[in-house]
């Protein structure tokens, strides 16, 4: 599932995304009973990445190169799969998130997702961050 989601590229024809969506949705539909947390992780990670991603601008002459916004195709495919399989996948996702937020050891052991709000600080000018200070643009990151 991870390979299918990450291989869809913004330059691919729309049919590639549609085929990826159909393939992943079929995998989800095939599970009898519970859907493994590892499968849910692979669907939720691109959702956590958001609909837009930043990539290096190939036309940039700057050093370091400038970044541009680009549609995140993995997000689009994962979101469509979740909508398409909503009836089957909503309860397992709710159980997973409840287990993560309540700190259930069994759930935390079986997932790569985290309830922690980890923020990456932007490259600094060598100055240390003051204790207790926050980044200007915190973004939740999944472990």
């Amino acid at each position: 599932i991870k390979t299918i989601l990450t291989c869809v590229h913004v330059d691919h024809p729309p049919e590639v995304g549609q085929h990826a969506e159909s393939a992943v949705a079929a995998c989800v539909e095939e599970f009898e009973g519970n859907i493994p947390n590892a499968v849910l992780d692979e669907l939720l990670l691109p959702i956590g990445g958001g609909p837009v991603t930043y990539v290096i601008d190939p036309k940039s002459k700057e050093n370091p190169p400038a970044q541009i916004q680009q549609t995140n195709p993995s997000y689009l495919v994962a979101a469509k799969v979740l909508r398409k399989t909503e009836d089957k996948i909503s309860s397992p996702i709710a159980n997973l998130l409840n287990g993560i937020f309540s700190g259930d050891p069994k759930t935390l052991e079986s997932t790569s997702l985290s309830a922690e709000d980890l923020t990456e600080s932007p490259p600094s000018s060598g100055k240390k961050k003051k204790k207790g200070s926050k980044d200007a643009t915190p973004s939740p990151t999944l472990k």
Side-chain angles (χ1 to χ4, degrees):
I1 290 176
K2 179 180 182 177
T3 301
I4 293 171
L5 291 175
T6 57
C7 286
V8 178
H9 192 270
V10 72
D11 294 331
H12 285 149
E15 294 81 18
V16 173
Q18 293 166 355
H19 291 308
E21 173 194 339
S22 296
V24 175
C27 290
V28 170
E29 292 291 343
E30 285 296 315
F31 285 103
E32 299 287 330
N34 282 342
I35 299 171
N37 286 347
V39 172
L40 298 175
D41 284 0
E42 296 306 332
L43 287 169
L44 294 174
L45 283 170
I47 299 296
V52 175
T53 187
Y54 291 89
V55 295
I56 294 175
D57 183 0
K59 298 174 188 169
S60 176
K61 304 279 188 227
E62 300 171 22
N63 189 12
Q67 292 187 337
I68 57 173
Q69 281 188 346
Q70 179 176 304
T71 301
N72 183 353
S74 298
Y75 170 90
L76 296 176
V77 172
K80 288 178 183 176
V81 168
L82 291 179
R83 281 188 216 105
K84 193 174 191 176
T85 61
E86 182 179 358
D87 292 340
K88 183 162 186 94
I89 207 164
S90 60
S91 290
I93 289 175
N95 292 337
L96 173 65
L97 295 177
N98 285 332
I100 290 171
F101 293 135
S102 69
D104 176 44
K106 184 179 177 191
T107 302
L108 294 174
E109 196 175 281
S110 68
T111 184
S112 63
L113 302 178
S114 171
E116 295 176 21
D117 183 15
L118 303 174
T119 57
E120 293 181 26
S121 57
S124 66
S125 58
K127 296 180 184 176
K128 285 192 173 183
K129 199 165 119 178
K130 289 183 181 177
K131 187 176 180 180
S133 68
K134 291 189 130 195
D135 294 334
T137 56
S139 61
T141 307
L142 299 175
K143 184 169 94 176

